[in-house]
Amino acid sequence: MRSMEPGPAKTGPRKDLQTIRTLLPYLWPKGEAELRLRVVCAMALLALAKVTNVAVPIFYKHAVDALSTDTVRILAVPVALLVGYGLARVLAQTFGELRDAVFAKVAQRAIRMAGLRTFQHLHCLSLRFHMDRKTGGVSRAVERGTKGIEFLLTFMLFNVLPTLLEIALVCAVMWKLYGVWYALATFLTMAVYIAWTLIITEWRIQYRRTMNETDSEANTRAIDSLLNFETVKYFGNEDHEARRFDASLKGYERAAVKSKTTLSYLNIGQGAIIAVGVTVVMLMAANGVVGGVMTLGDFVLVNAYLIQLFLPLNFLGFVYREIKRSLTDMETMFELLDENAEIEDAPGARALAVNGGRVVFDDVSFAYDSRRPVLEGVSFAVEPGRTVAIVGSSGAGKSTISRLLFRFYDVTGGRITIDGQDIRDVIQESLRAAIGMVPQDTVLFNDTIYYNISYGDPDASTEAIYEAASTARIHDFIAGLPEGYETRVGERGLKLSGGEKQRVAIARALLKNPKIFFFDEATSALDSNTEKEIQDNLRELSKHRTTLVIAHRLSTIIHADQILVLDQGEIVERGTHRTLLENSGKYEAMWREQKKSRTQPNFSITS
């Protein structure tokens, strides 16, 4: 994975044509007859606009020729031509505006669906990807990518392609009226201009990529620093954070300066090519007028065509640069779609059918990295209505068990079953719907308390939400707040204390009403009285559910039906609290140590 932008490592940048091919299905969506018709109509209006635009100078030429005669008895002819000239200009603009109006729905739908698909795919990616990702970089990649789509559709379809079509039409008219040399001189001028623009822009795009990467890095560091605002303050590292942020900004500054200076080279070359081409063609036309083979109207026509091509072609340089930038931005977003989901539903997978909720770990082995096994040969069963607690030192593999049960990762050996069904053979959505999780590190959405509790079941009634909050012993606290359940919790729930966040998480899990509960030290941040009340309620609620508990404080799991002691990825002891104490093994040593720490002061003061 690249350091600045999310996506798989590649030997080179994604090809522009590949990026465009990825976009095309959004412009010609299956089953969307109306949108396809809009695309066809927009292309027809585009062609009409350009054909009409090419006809405008012809009306102008004939009007000039008519006005240059010595007689005035045919004055009605130039008037009619001038009216036709004005009408042609109006029609050209009208066709262009109608084209934009017809295509607007297609463009906005493509932007919406591409952004939505990327967002959905991000949620389908494995936990491994999201643990390695840089959130600021991902969000900026999606933001720039969707904006890039809008720019590409607007300018490539309705500026680049129409301009190329107009060049072809003008060259054809010049050939027809004045011969091959006029058409060839016009075409060569445009061809050299486009070639220069392509070559120099391709060279300059490296600086745009650097700007994107350093921009994402700066954004990532800023978000990371602000999310950890309190930690920064605790250690007085404001200057350190500023230096890290400025290091990224310096990289952006250097790339931006190079991008701007090389832009000047590009513009100078474009101006010189246009000047030489226009001068050559106008000299040819002037020579034709002097030689009597061309009229003054012909001279004006050639000049009008060159100016008509020059203006959009001069703009084409800017447009092409922006299109290349948009393709670069889209490239990063579409690379997210290329990310391997890693954990996918098996072909023919069925929804999990939960009868009692019997969970079995059968000789399970797992490693995040093949060089460092985390679990080895772990086997245990949790019967419906029973509670199994898992204890062990830090790094023993306790949290990995929850991740495997939720199928955030697939086991590397053995299998996990629920009511006899291998979880790799069932639909992930149905698996996770059957399990309620209360993590130790509770993260809340930056929304209201009501929303965060209702997240367990977005369709739940207000009464059900209040009941879940009451069971979690937080309803009275919420009711006492000035804004009650509409109180916003802040980024990651920072406006609430650790205990308050845990109770919200417990209420959220209770509202989900799952068949299987998984508590990862769910009451560690609560005071003793509240913890005891909630523990009693949870035991009552767990009577008819399968319950797994990860515990650090052994006093919270003495009522568990079975306790598993993990050590270096293996179960070294199992049994009830009483039997494990009688065995005088690792569990008994852990119990004795915790009991000792509770009876001794946490700090000593020495003179």
Side-chain angles (χ1 to χ4, degrees):
M1 217 167 282
R2 299 187 305 180
S3 59
M4 301 302 149
E5 299 287 359
K10 292 178 180 261
T11 55
R14 185 187 178 99
K15 299 298 182 183
D16 292 342
L17 288 178
Q18 186 179 354
T19 301
I20 293 172
R21 279 198 301 269
T22 305
L23 177 63
L24 287 179
Y26 298 102
L27 300 179
W28 194 255
K30 293 181 180 178
E32 295 281 357
E34 180 197 349
L35 294 181
R36 290 188 173 191
L37 180 61
R38 283 176 176 270
V39 173
V40 173
C41 290
M43 294 300 103
L45 288 167
L46 184 153
L48 284 172
K50 283 307 166 187
V51 169
T52 307
N53 207 38
V54 169
V56 169
I58 295 178
F59 283 99
Y60 196 34
K61 162 194 155 43
H62 289 298
V64 170
D65 284 340
L67 288 170
S68 64
T69 61
D70 295 330
T71 59
V72 293
R73 51 192 171 84
I74 55 171
L75 185 59
V77 175
V79 170
L81 287 170
L82 290 172
V83 170
Y85 167 79
L87 182 61
R89 290 186 68 88
V90 170
L91 285 176
Q93 182 177 1
T94 300
F95 288 140
E97 293 298 331
L98 286 175
R99 172 205 66 198
D100 292 344
V102 168
F103 195 75
K105 187 173 182 179
V106 180
Q108 293 304 317
R109 181 66 59 84
I111 293 167
R112 169 190 155 201
M113 297 311 296
L116 176 62
R117 185 183 171 197
T118 305
F119 180 78
Q120 290 174 325
H121 186 70
L122 285 171
H123 279 289
C124 290
L125 295 178
S126 68
L127 183 62
R128 194 188 309 275
F129 170 83
H130 287 283
M131 291 179 71
D132 291 340
R133 74 177 180 177
K134 294 184 177 180
T135 306
V138 171
S139 64
R140 188 59 67 92
V142 176
E143 177 188 355
R144 285 198 305 251
T146 51
K147 288 182 179 178
I149 292 174
E150 183 171 18
F151 191 93
L152 185 73
L153 293 179
T154 301
F155 286 91
M156 186 169 186
L157 287 179
F158 299 143
N159 187 282
V160 177
L161 294 180
T163 299
L164 295 178
L165 175 61
E166 189 169 2
I167 290 172
L169 289 173
V170 168
C171 288
V173 172
M174 298 274 272
W175 192 340
K176 176 70 175 176
L177 294 179
Y178 309 117
V180 67
W181 292 109
Y182 284 89
L184 185 61
T186 302
F187 177 78
L188 284 177
T189 300
M190 304 308 161
V192 172
Y193 179 96
I194 292 172
W196 171 261
T197 302
L198 290 175
I199 292 169
I200 300 302
T201 303
E202 284 293 337
W203 168 57
R204 292 184 63 245
I205 205 67
Q206 60 181 307
Y207 303 120
R208 183 67 222 182
R209 289 184 189 278
T210 303
M211 289 169 66
N212 276 0
E213 290 174 356
T214 51
D215 178 51
S216 291
E217 182 183 68
N219 191 58
T220 297
R221 288 180 174 178
I223 289 177
D224 196 36
S225 179
L226 293 174
L227 286 176
N228 292 282
F229 173 82
E230 290 181 83
T231 304
V232 174
K233 288 294 184 182
Y234 291 151
F235 293 93
N237 278 338
E238 293 89 345
D239 289 341
H240 170 71
E241 291 297 322
R243 286 193 297 272
R244 291 181 75 238
F245 185 59
D246 189 45
S248 298
L249 294 181
K250 284 180 180 176
Y252 183 90
E253 178 187 2
R254 287 192 295 269
V257 169
K258 289 181 180 179
S259 179
K260 187 65 179 177
T261 53
T262 54
L263 173 61
S264 298
Y265 304 151
L266 176 61
N267 288 338
I268 291 171
Q270 289 172 337
I273 292 168
I274 288 294
V276 170
V278 169
T279 301
V280 169
V281 175
M282 293 310 298
L283 285 173
M284 292 169 61
N287 187 58
V289 173
V290 173
V293 295
M294 294 176 66
T295 66
L296 188 60
D298 292 320
F299 182 85
V300 171
L301 175 65
V302 171
N303 185 65
Y305 270 143
L306 290 174
I307 293 174
Q308 192 165 294
L309 287 180
F310 168 73
L311 292 177
L313 201 60
N314 186 51
F315 187 55
L316 182 64
F318 160 77
V319 170
Y320 181 75
R321 293 191 299 272
E322 292 303 307
I323 285 175
K324 288 297 295 182
R325 186 183 74 174
S326 297
L327 286 169
T328 302
D329 295 340
M330 289 165 58
E331 168 192 322
T332 303
M333 186 178 79
F334 287 146
E335 279 180 351
L336 291 173
L337 293 175
D338 290 338
E339 280 285 348
N340 180 19
E342 187 176 344
I343 306 300
E344 296 181 311
D345 291 335
R350 297 182 178 181
L352 177 68
V354 183
N355 297 318
R358 184 174 190 264
V359 176
V360 176
F361 275 60
D362 183 9
D363 196 28
V364 169
S365 297
F366 177 74
Y368 296 103
D369 186 316
S370 58
R371 296 168 295 183
R372 183 175 173 268
V374 177
L375 297 177
E376 293 188 78
V378 171
S379 296
F380 64 88
V382 190
E383 303 297 336
R386 299 289 183 177
T387 298
V388 169
I390 305 169
V391 301
S393 58
S394 179
K398 301 185 298 297
S399 295
T400 299
I401 288 177
S402 68
R403 292 171 177 173
L404 293 177
L405 181 61
F406 270 88
R407 207 186 164 210
F408 291 153
Y409 301 94
D410 275 335
V411 298
T412 52
R415 65 177 191 150
I416 302 172
T417 63
I418 296 178
D419 288 335
Q421 303 157 86
D422 192 319
I423 63 172
R424 291 171 294 189
D425 298 330
V426 301
I427 297 172
Q428 296 177 68
E429 183 180 357
S430 66
L431 167 67
R432 291 162 192 158
I435 309 171
M437 179 69 176
V438 181
Q440 180 184 13
D441 182 18
T442 300
V443 177
L444 303 181
F445 292 96
N446 189 4
D447 210 299
T448 64
I449 293 176
Y450 187 95
Y451 174 81
N452 276 282
I453 295 177
S454 70
Y455 205 77
D457 181 4
D459 298 323
S461 65
T462 300
E463 291 73 18
I465 291 171
Y466 288 172
E467 183 180 348
S470 297
T471 304
R473 292 294 187 271
I474 196 172
H475 175 74
D476 293 341
F477 163 76
I478 299 171
L481 295 172
E483 296 181 43
Y485 278 83
E486 294 305 309
T487 302
R488 300 189 73 87
V489 302
E491 190 83 42
R492 297 172 65 87
L494 290 178
K495 290 184 179 180
L496 301 181
S497 69
E500 290 158 0
K501 286 198 295 183
Q502 277 196 334
R503 280 180 280 172
V504 169
I506 291 170
R508 183 167 60 188
L510 293 174
L511 187 66
K512 186 178 181 181
N513 194 28
K515 292 290 187 180
I516 302 168
F517 268 131
F518 204 118
F519 299 111
D520 185 354
E521 196 63 24
T523 59
S524 60
L526 303 179
D527 61 82
S528 299
N529 292 332
T530 305
E531 179 185 35
K532 186 177 184 307
E533 290 180 17
I534 293 179
Q535 288 282 359
D536 291 341
N537 286 338
L538 292 179
R539 277 198 296 273
E540 185 66 27
L541 290 168
S542 300
K543 281 185 177 178
H544 305 292
R545 292 177 173 86
T546 305
T547 305
L548 290 93
V549 180
I550 292 177
H552 300 284
R553 289 191 294 185
L554 304 185
S555 59
T556 63
I557 47 96
I558 58 177
H559 298 293
D561 297 292
Q562 186 179 43
I563 299 172
L564 308 176
V565 182
L566 272 181
D567 185 29
Q568 296 184 358
E570 297 181 346
I571 298 177
V572 294
E573 294 179 29
R574 68 179 74 207
T576 64
H577 173 70
R578 182 178 296 276
T579 57
L580 289 173
L581 288 181
E582 292 173 351
N583 289 341
S584 299
K586 188 174 183 63
Y587 181 85
E588 190 272 338
M590 293 168 62
W591 175 263
R592 188 172 63 250
E593 185 65 29
Q594 288 193 11
K595 190 175 180 180
K596 179 181 177 182
S597 65
R598 287 197 301 270
T599 59
Q600 292 183 347
N602 292 325
F603 300 95
S604 62
I605 302 177
T606 58
S607 57

